[in-house]
Amino acid sequence: MTRHLRVDEPIHDSPLDQMAQGVLGQPLNRLEGPLKVSGRATYAAESRPRGMAYGVLVQAAIPAGKVLGIEDAPGAIAVIQDKRMIRYAAQGLAEEGPKAGPEEVEYMGQAIALVVADSLEAARHAAQNLKIRYDVQDVPVDPTAVVPELPPKKQSSTGDLDKAMQQAPFSVDAVWHTPTHAAAAMEPHAAIAEWDGDSVTIRAGLQMLSSNRKQMADALGIRPKKLRLLAPYVGGGFGSKLGINAEAVAAAIAARELGRPVQVVMTRQQVFDLAHRRSETRQRIRLACDHEGRLTGIGHEALVSNLPGSDFSEPVTQATPFTYAAAHRQIVHAVARIHRSCAGSVRAPGEAVGVTVFECALDELAEAADIDPVALRLRNIPTVEPDTERPFSSHKLAEALHEGAERFNWSERRPPRQRVEGEWFIGMGMATAVRVNQLVEARAKVTLGPDGRAIVETDMTDIGTGTYTILGQIAAEALGLPQERVEVRLGDTDFPPATGSGGSFGAASSGTSVYLACEEVRQQIAKAMGCEAVDLTLQNGLARAGNVEKPLSDVIQSPLVGEGYVEPGKTEKSVRQATWGSHWAEVAVNRWTGEVRVRRMLGLFSCGRILNEKTARSQCLGGMVFGMGIALTEALEHDPRDGHAVTRDLGEYHIPCHADVPHLEVHFVPERDPYVGPLQAKGIGELSICGSGAAILNAIHNACGIRVRDLPATPDKIIAALDP
Amino acid sequence: MKPFSFHRAASVADLPAGATIIAGGTNLLDLMKLEVMTPDALVDITRLSLDRIEPAADGLRIGALVRNSDLAADAVIRRDYPVLTRALLAGASGQLRNMATTGGNLMQRTRCPYFYDRRMACNKREPGTGCAAIGGITRNHAILGTSDHCIATYPGDMAVALRALDAEVEIDGPAPRRVPLADFHRLPGDTPHVETVLKPGEIITAVVLPAPVGGQQRYRKVRDRASYAFALVSVAAVIRVQDGRIAHAALAFGGVAAKPWRDPDAERLLIGQQPSDALFQSAADTVLRLARSQGDNGFKIPLLRRTLIATLRDATGMEAAA
Ligand SMILES: Cc1cc2nc3c(=O)[nH]c(=O)nc-3n(C[C@H](O)[C@H](O)[C@H](O)COP(=O)(O)OP(=O)(O)OC[C@H]3O[C@@H](n4cnc5c(N)ncnc54)[C@H](O)[C@@H]3O)c2cc1C
Ligand code: SF4
């Protein structure tokens, strides 16, 4: 009853294109939208089990050392210090709980205990006033002040880059800095834990339930079967909810100890301290090209940071090896071990900052070689992946560049400082968008009843992206049902495991498992109709084969159940899978104050089949805004003395908001990718982040002639280079 | 949050001794949740009839409970004191301005991140503990009027415009009085926890504006993003040019000191002169002659200079001519 697919071969003709319902790809509204805007969607902290107590995490006030003692808090039911409490969040897809033992402090703000009381106010008051004794340790907190590690597997070199640089008529050799970024999801991390005997149910804001369950079971020392996770609605994750975090573990421990349900919600400041941060980066880029602008040398050296022993390091150079070709190449990846909060995946780890900086460097090369930036990119698109010589699964960069230039009126771009409107310099910039693509394991179950209603179940999450809607569309298409006859149930580990939401792989992977489950059901319908599945047409609740047409209720006596299971196969390695696009921006730079205002942006993206034009577009709009944040506003500042996060609320950590965001335009370059399974769909959300900031930074240069290499490009950085 | 008693005052005479006033609550509530402020008693004054804008001798009296949104939208304010409307609309967000009151806005506390963080030493929060900001991240700190005890700014916008308009603050209490806004906020010195001349048991009942002075009025706020963000620097300017010469100049600066900053010397330098870049440069030199950088905030010195010059060019019509 399980339809299993290992994607070993390309699927050029998708059966989905033979189906008749016509709902797939439609720009449908989000199914759960009305629940959300009317407050009826219950997020992690919003249920109220009887007898619930409130927990507040206690945070270390030292950069590193040992907790010697915590004195009891008046007004609290309990102050819980348990060896199983975790020091930082689990990394995405980890199979085990993260490092436990809160009495050892690794960074300022680490959770070291939980205070529980009968009200949130009382718990918070007690937590804020605990007397804690420490043994303080002196540790490095500045990534540039330590000798970094150079993990051997992450370095690579082809040819002789130094020589290529010396011999090239045109070259760029410069250093960029990007600051720490926070995911800054709207919903703070929260959990409610409730035990029943030796089984526990935890409602939490999480992105990847099946691995979260393993992490949590490991952290608590129980069997995964005894643990149920619920996350039907998640108020954004952006990587920060990939792995379990301190609040959920503490809630479960406290609930067990106290014999009553416990809720733990992080304060906004705690979210900034305890959710993974994107490491700051120092990036040196070296580029060399010949007289025609053909790249001869590419060097990308990155320095990132994380806590000692943490295995994640921001994959800054992830897309560099395959985006452009050059005979001489070098990748350097260095990791500084310092005691700031744990670094992990945040909004397109790697390319978000790596592609942004690389595309700025390319703009500098275009200027040096006096070649149009679009032409420079077009000239350097490889036909196969450099080094491995694997083919690309699909590659529509050239189309995205040509169409973008046309739509944006790129030909109207003038040299720097030529377009002036009052106090404002106006300029245009562009960049390539690129992001690796990944298909992951996923399972789903589909039940079709005689009443012509279907139910889709998987532990996949919808973190605000539209997963409920697109999974419903896939099932509706495959089963020939109007969308409203399909109910989608997500975010419950009782359902078949998907990998979850992350790395932009959710829609394509989970969607494929739903499609496979439907295929299984279709097979059963075909059998009942006495035909082959390929000869079966399902539409509007009717089954048709040859010249026989019947309502489903006449065909099915009892519910039909199908399960789908997809896993990546040979195409994961046989081709280079990536998504491509182009970014375009027009900005105004104030010649007095250095303020930058983005006037318009355009993004073109090719990411396989578009499952829902509206939710896909929304993903891209959000991603382009993230790019604005990287280019212009976002920086989580750390205190140089103790490494604590300073700009730790949404008033000081500046996400671009309504007044910052101008007209944004998104177009999809039509394509299908046969190497990713029958859906032919790929990741979307992250692609639109990668490079969007570079288009803005390049536009700043085109406006006023200034290159900001120390991001974000706040007014101080601009006026430092403007004429007095 | 620390437990507190709550009282809703029916009249100004009905303010319990020692109680902390809550008006819109947009600043106080945040600080109470973080236990940066821990009042034992709160008195809600929003039922008092202090929410009117009315004519006063030669000017206008703005009740302490007039909401920022209402004040910004008032027809008389927009006509006669446009710099005030502009400053208000440059502050916070629509939702916050709907709650924020005139009195509360004047009394809003600094946005120094170390003040907000109870793990950090802060002379303002806990007198005598030191100042963790000095030597830390000082991007939003002051360049003028600082002391070794505190380098925080007064973060608001409205008060900067009021300062350029020579407003006065009406105070009720045991000894009712009026204080020029110029004297209302205090520089830190060695008592940064004392931010205004308001004494315990006193309440702001109104802000009084003198007769309108006309002229070109500008409020220019430079910030890290266009949506709500506090000023890196701001300039309020009221400038009148007569027969090609500057006849009236009032300039106030925000984001640079523990109070809305004004420099009579710089204004004197402008009066009677023909507008020119050189003149504006020397006015900026005068304002900034005592400016001191803490490192991260050093950019505020050139930024204030540039913003002042741009504002003066705009207000004197030079920008349009250029
Ligand atoms: C996210 C955010 C962004 C913001 N951005 C800006 C900005 O860009 N520019 C800006 O100027 N402001 C900004 N603000 C601050 C906002 O303007 C103030 O919070 C608001 O004006 C305070 O008014 P309130 O009535 O809510 O004061 P409350 O919070 O009620 O009180 C603040 C203080 O004033 C005292 N107080 C209140 N009324 C009186 C009175 N009549 N007499 C004596 N004491 C009194 C209270 O005791 C308290 O100490 C922002 C605030 C937030 C939260
Ligand atoms: S600058 Fe003032 S408010 Fe900030 S930490 Fe120092 S004393 Fe406190």
Side-chain angles (χ1 to χ4, degrees):
Chain A
M1 285 224 315
T2 297
R3 181 73 59 103
H4 173 210
L5 175 68
R6 227 182 94 109
V7 186
D8 288 325
E9 300 294 334
I11 298 174
H12 292 283
D13 297 314
S14 169
L16 274 163
D17 292 316
Q18 306 307 318
M19 301 200 178
Q21 191 64 27
V23 64
L24 194 58
Q26 293 299 312
L28 300 185
N29 288 333
R30 283 203 249 157
L31 289 179
E32 82 291 8
L35 294 180
K36 287 183 172 168
V37 296
S38 61
R40 285 174 294 157
T42 42
Y43 289 86
E46 293 184 323
S47 66
R48 288 286 173 279
R50 274 172 73 89
M52 186 177 84
Y54 296 80
V56 170
L57 292 168
V58 180
Q59 295 181 272
I62 57 166
K66 247 193 163 59
V67 179
L68 298 178
I70 301 183
E71 124 193 333
D72 266 355
I77 300 169
V79 178
I80 295 174
Q81 291 170 273
D82 189 297
K83 291 251 178 284
R84 293 171 296 170
M85 287 177 161
I86 57 177
R87 295 186 198 166
Y88 38 76
Q91 296 290 348
L93 296 174
E95 304 258 309
E96 294 169 352
K99 205 191 278 176
E103 66 288 345
E104 276 315 320
V105 176
E106 295 196 45
Y107 60 96
M108 188 129 166
Q110 180 190 308
I112 52 174
L114 185 78
V115 172
V116 187
D118 282 318
S119 73
L120 173 63
E121 291 75 13
R124 195 164 175 184
H125 179 55
Q128 280 166 325
N129 291 284
L130 285 181
K131 297 271 175 296
I132 305 167
R133 286 179 302 114
Y134 300 100
D135 180 12
V136 186
Q137 207 184 315
D138 203 17
V139 289
V141 297
D142 175 0
T144 58
V146 297
V147 180
E149 291 171 6
L150 288 161
K153 280 202 185 129
K154 294 188 174 169
Q155 324 300 322
S156 72
S157 179
T158 311
D160 186 343
L161 180 59
D162 290 334
K163 207 160 124 205
M165 289 292 290
Q166 278 163 21
Q167 292 176 348
F170 308 110
S171 63
V172 167
D173 180 356
V175 173
W176 281 258
H177 291 271
T178 64
T180 300
H181 294 140
M186 183 124 63
E187 179 201 26
H189 295 55
I192 295 176
E194 194 172 2
W195 290 82
D196 179 5
D198 61 353
S199 298
V200 62
T201 300
I202 304 176
R203 295 167 187 279
L206 292 167
Q207 295 179 231
M208 298 182 151
L209 296 194
S210 53
S211 48
N212 297 149
R213 186 192 212 178
K214 293 177 195 156
Q215 296 152 9
M216 184 63 84
D218 181 48
L220 295 175
I222 61 174
R223 280 183 296 133
K225 278 211 314 231
K226 298 286 179 189
L227 169 69
R228 183 179 182 198
L229 294 178
L230 295 174
Y233 302 106
V234 182
F238 313 119
S240 75
K241 295 168 186 166
L242 291 181
I244 60 163
N245 211 330
E247 93 292 354
V249 176
I253 291 170
R256 178 85 191 196
E257 197 167 313
L258 301 174
R260 58 194 279 199
V262 172
Q263 177 204 72
V264 182
V265 181
M266 289 192 198
T267 64
R268 183 61 68 187
Q269 289 80 6
Q270 289 178 336
V271 174
F272 279 92
D273 292 342
L274 297 172
H276 285 158
R277 66 187 173 91
R278 184 208 306 283
S279 169
E280 69 295 324
T281 73
R282 176 191 184 276
Q283 299 182 50
R284 180 189 184 200
I285 308 261
R286 283 184 290 169
L287 296 174
C289 72
D290 65 16
H291 286 282
E292 278 75 50
R294 260 178 293 273
L295 286 165
T296 53
I298 294 176
H300 198 165
E301 300 168 33
L303 170 66
V304 302
S305 74
N306 208 343
L307 286 164
S310 237
D311 52 8
F312 179 91
S313 63
E314 181 72 17
V316 177
T317 58
Q318 191 158 255
T320 310
F322 66 87
T323 308
Y324 304 108
H328 307 277
R329 292 196 301 280
Q330 190 183 10
I331 300 277
V332 175
H333 183 89
V335 188
R337 296 298 175 188
I338 54 161
H339 293 260
R340 292 180 179 177
S341 67
C342 189
S345 297
V346 173
R347 306 190 216 151
E351 285 94 325
V353 285
V355 170
T356 297
V357 164
F358 194 93
E359 290 292 313
C360 286
L362 215 52
D363 202 67
E364 297 202 18
L365 186 69
E367 187 192 13
D370 195 19
I371 295 175
D372 182 86
V374 181
L376 179 66
R377 285 162 175 88
L378 285 169
R379 202 152 299 170
N380 288 288
I381 298 176
T383 46
V384 292
E385 185 179 46
D387 271 344
T388 68
E389 311 219 322
R390 290 185 293 180
F392 291 98
S393 65
S394 68
H395 199 304
K396 291 269 193 290
L397 174 57
E399 288 82 345
L401 290 168
H402 284 300
E403 191 184 331
E406 179 87 22
R407 286 183 181 272
F408 202 68
N409 287 333
W410 179 252
S411 57
E412 287 174 11
R413 179 174 174 266
R414 308 245 290 274
R417 294 188 172 225
Q418 302 276 305
R419 272 183 75 191
V420 178
E421 292 180 14
E423 295 182 353
W424 301 87
F425 296 116
I426 315 297
M428 290 183 185
M430 57 78 57
T432 289
V434 54
R435 171 76 174 159
V436 293
N437 185 65
Q438 208 186 346
L439 185 80
V440 295
E441 247 186 318
R443 290 175 191 268
K445 177 174 150 190
V446 170
T447 308
L448 178 65
D451 58 353
R453 296 190 163 272
I455 296 170
V456 176
E457 292 169 320
T458 160
D459 82 356
M460 177 64 188
T461 50
D462 185 330
I463 56 174
T465 51
T467 314
Y468 278 107
T469 316
I470 55 139
L471 295 186
Q473 279 174 279
I474 291 167
E477 188 67 49
L479 298 177
L481 298 173
Q483 168 95 353
E484 59 276 9
R485 298 250 208 113
V486 181
E487 182 190 340
V488 182
R489 299 176 182 166
L490 304 178
D492 182 343
T493 49
D494 279 357
F495 299 146
T499 299
S501 302
S504 294
F505 50 59
S509 307
S510 223
T512 304
S513 71
V514 169
Y515 165 74
L516 293 170
C518 292
E519 275 291 312
E520 183 60 32
V521 171
R522 287 176 61 91
Q523 181 81 41
Q524 296 171 37
I525 301 172
K527 201 168 152 206
M529 289 284 286
C531 69
E532 294 296 316
V534 286
D535 299 324
L536 178 70
T537 303
L538 298 175
Q539 191 177 14
N540 288 326
L542 299 173
R544 207 161 46 234
N547 49 15
V548 181
E549 181 177 279
K550 293 184 193 172
L552 279 176
S553 52
D554 288 0
V555 186
I556 311 173
Q557 274 71 50
S558 55
L560 304 180
V561 179
E563 298 205 8
Y565 170 40
V566 64
E567 61 174 333
K570 288 184 188 143
T571 63
E572 195 179 30
K573 295 263 150 48
S574 63
V575 288
R576 157 53 65 190
Q577 292 184 21
T579 47
W580 302 92
S582 61
H583 289 286
W584 311 79
E586 182 177 290
V587 306
V589 181
N590 190 283
R591 59 184 267 225
W592 293 106
T593 61
E595 290 161 290
V596 177
R597 296 287 177 259
V598 179
R599 307 219 304 185
R600 62 187 174 112
M601 284 181 87
L602 165 70
L604 286 100
F605 307 108
S606 72
C607 9
R609 185 200 296 268
I610 301 303
L611 301 167
N612 175 324
E613 178 88 34
K614 184 179 255 179
T615 54
R617 184 169 171 276
S618 295
Q619 286 290 291
C620 296
L621 295 174
M624 287 158 74
V625 174
F626 287 167
M628 283 183 68
I630 293 171
L632 298 177
T633 58
E634 290 182 51
L636 185 61
E637 305 274 5
H638 297 273
D639 188 281
R641 299 157 301 187
D642 56 25
H644 83 271
V646 176
T647 48
R648 59 206 270 271
D649 62 37
L650 293 174
E652 301 298 326
Y653 185 82
H654 293 145
I655 308 259
C657 296
H658 294 79
D660 301 275
V661 181
H663 180 66
L664 305 178
E665 202 176 316
V666 170
H667 294 278
F668 293 106
V669 180
E671 74 154 7
R672 294 292 180 78
D673 191 327
Y675 291 89
V676 294
L679 232 52
Q680 303 174 332
K682 294 195 283 195
I684 295 186
E686 294 174 320
L687 172 66
S688 51
I689 307 174
C690 308
S692 111
I696 292 170
L697 292 161
N698 294 339
I700 291 175
H701 175 261
N702 180 242
C704 64
I706 290 169
R707 298 278 182 198
V708 179
R709 298 196 188 108
D710 182 11
L711 306 190
T714 42
D716 46 322
K717 317 262 177 64
I718 308 270
I719 61 161
L722 276 175
D723 313 328
Chain B
M1 152 181 328
K2 191 178 140 194
F4 56 86
S5 69
F6 183 80
H7 177 70
R8 193 165 273 153
S11 70
V12 173
D14 179 32
L15 300 176
T20 297
I21 290 171
I22 182 160
T26 60
N27 190 208
L28 183 58
L29 216 58
D30 279 355
L31 292 167
M32 285 174 65
K33 284 195 237 169
L34 295 168
E35 298 199 18
V36 171
M37 289 177 79
T38 50
D40 293 316
L42 277 193
V43 54
D44 175 1
I45 61 166
T46 52
R47 298 288 165 90
L48 306 187
S49 43
L50 297 172
D51 57 353
R52 277 190 292 277
I53 302 171
E54 57 204 3
D58 288 341
L60 211 59
R61 184 175 176 278
I62 302 162
L65 288 174
V66 174
R67 307 279 172 174
N68 284 181
S69 304
D70 296 333
L71 185 57
D74 185 81
V76 177
I77 299 287
R78 288 173 55 182
R79 187 191 64 208
D80 293 341
Y81 310 94
V83 65
L84 181 54
T85 289
R86 290 178 178 187
L88 284 160
L89 294 180
S93 64
Q95 294 93 324
L96 285 161
R97 293 194 296 269
N98 286 342
M99 291 302 289
T101 63
T102 305
N105 195 315
L106 281 183
M107 294 294 289
Q108 66 176 291
R109 315 279 319 259
T110 184
R111 293 282 160 171
C112 168
Y114 297 87
F115 171 70
Y116 270 74
D117 187 342
R118 294 212 325 166
R119 301 169 301 185
M120 301 291 135
C122 173
N123 288 324
K124 194 187 271 302
R125 184 170 17 82
E126 277 180 78
T129 54
C131 170
I134 296 173
I137 301 289
T138 56
R139 186 174 158 74
N140 80 7
H141 290 82
I143 50 171
L144 289 163
T146 54
S147 75
D148 293 343
H149 301 275
C150 181
I151 57 170
T153 62
Y154 168 79
D157 292 298
M158 178 191 81
V160 181
L162 291 177
R163 180 90 210 261
L165 292 170
D166 291 309
E168 293 192 329
V169 183
E170 185 186 283
I171 296 169
D172 204 342
R177 62 206 160 107
R178 265 208 209 175
V179 178
L181 186 70
D183 302 329
F184 184 75
H185 293 100
R186 296 173 35 134
L187 291 177
D190 54 10
T191 53
H193 59 291
V194 186
E195 292 170 354
T196 68
V197 297
L198 208 66
K199 294 198 209 63
E202 290 186 326
I203 176 177
I204 301 170
T205 46
V207 167
V208 182
L209 291 175
V213 294
Q216 292 294 317
Q217 305 199 358
R218 299 287 183 275
Y219 188 75
R220 185 136 182 177
K221 175 178 177 179
V222 184
R223 43 175 148 176
D224 280 333
R225 67 175 164 189
S227 308
Y228 77 83
F230 289 91
L232 296 170
V233 306
S234 71
V235 177
V238 180
I239 303 283
R240 211 173 54 241
V241 180
Q242 227 168 332
D243 306 326
R245 291 180 184 275
I246 296 172
H248 176 89
L251 302 170
F253 306 96
V256 292
K259 61 191 291 184
W261 193 258
R262 207 167 152 176
D263 193 320
D265 290 342
E267 291 169 14
R268 262 195 296 277
L269 195 140
L270 294 171
I271 306 277
Q273 305 296 316
Q274 290 178 337
S276 74
D277 279 335
L279 178 70
F280 301 160
Q281 288 281 4
S282 53
D285 286 341
T286 304
V287 173
L288 289 162
R289 66 194 182 280
L290 296 175
R292 217 177 101 194
S293 160
Q294 299 293 331
D296 294 343
N297 68 348
F299 74 92
K300 287 190 176 184
I301 296 173
L303 185 59
L304 187 68
R305 167 187 305 282
R306 303 178 73 97
T307 309
L308 174 58
I309 293 169
T311 310
L312 288 173
R313 288 174 65 102
D314 180 23
T316 57
M318 274 177 65
E319 193 57 47

